[in-house]
Amino acid sequence: YRDRCDVVDYRAVSALSEFNASQKTAFKVQFGSGTHISGDLTAAYNSANSVYNTIENVLIIIVINSAKYAGTCYMSSLGTSVAFVPASQEYYTFEDIVHHEACGHGFGFLGDEYFYTGTIPSGEVEEVNYFFNTYGWYANVDVTDNPSAIRWKNFLSDPVYKSTVGIYEGAFTYAYGAYRPTNESIMRSNKGM
């Protein structure tokens, strides 16, 4: 698919070679609670715009020189995504995190398939449906288990996929009321692709 994508290495160098939360970084990166990462999205968009003269349909990957396991991707209605990915080797490899955050969320606009406890609240059901119906996001997560209505219904009877694609409860961080198409995937366990 080389004729459909461009890859550009743009370097925005921070003051230090290794991440230090007390120092200023090029994109004001900060680790939050759990695996959350925040940063200056406007600076990321401006950097992309300086290369492409647009920020529409651009995936920006900000590599953080830190071994901490974390990762966050911000998706926008312009088709633009900013994935913050540390050079982690803790729990999961850097490649695993790039596959989940940048490829899964940022490029594929997929939802998380992992889950903890609880039932997805009605407000989040509406959110999942809104983003799918409006932007095409979260095609891998649904809030129905009806085989004739689920987003991946065509795969259920396709001979190529029917042995691996099904309806598995637990997705979008909730154990109940949200469904995913496979038992394991990069969007569930950060493994495989």
Side-chain angles (χ1 to χ4, degrees), residues 75-79 108-109 127-139:
M75 305 181 309
S76 85
S77 61
L78 295 173
F109 294 95
E127 179 181 310
V128 170
N129 287 329
Y130 171 79
F131 284 114
F132 178 75
N133 293 326
T134 306
Y135 303 113
W137 297 0
Y138 310 142

Side-chain angles (χ1 to χ4, degrees), residues 111-135:
D112 286 316
E113 293 182 8
Y114 56 83
F115 54 92
Y116 303 110
T117 60
T119 301
I120 188 168
S122 60
E124 290 197 39
V125 167
E126 291 172 16
E127 179 181 310
V128 170
N129 287 329
Y130 171 79
F131 284 114
F132 178 75
N133 293 326
T134 306
Y135 303 113

Side-chain angles (χ1 to χ4, degrees), residues 47 92 95 102 151-152 154 188:
S47 293
Y92 302 102
E95 293 84 0
R151 293 187 175 128
W152 51 91
N154 294 336
R188 178 172 181 207

Side-chain angles (χ1 to χ4, degrees), residues 19-87:
F19 178 80
N20 182 324
S22 65
Q23 299 293 320
K24 182 179 178 186
T25 66
F27 295 105
K28 299 179 183 165
V29 172
Q30 292 292 315
F31 287 105
S33 63
T35 61
H36 184 76
I37 303 172
S38 63
D40 187 342
L41 298 180
T42 301
Y45 296 151
N46 288 341
S47 293
N49 194 49
S50 72
V51 173
Y52 287 111
N53 295 321
T54 184
I55 61 167
E56 289 186 37
N57 300 313
V58 174
L59 166 59
I60 303 163
I61 304 171
I62 297 176
V63 179
I64 305 160
N65 195 8
S66 169
K68 178 180 172 64
Y69 167 63
T72 302
C73 185
Y74 298 88
M75 305 181 309
S76 85
S77 61
L78 295 173
T80 306
S81 300
V82 180
F84 290 93
V85 182

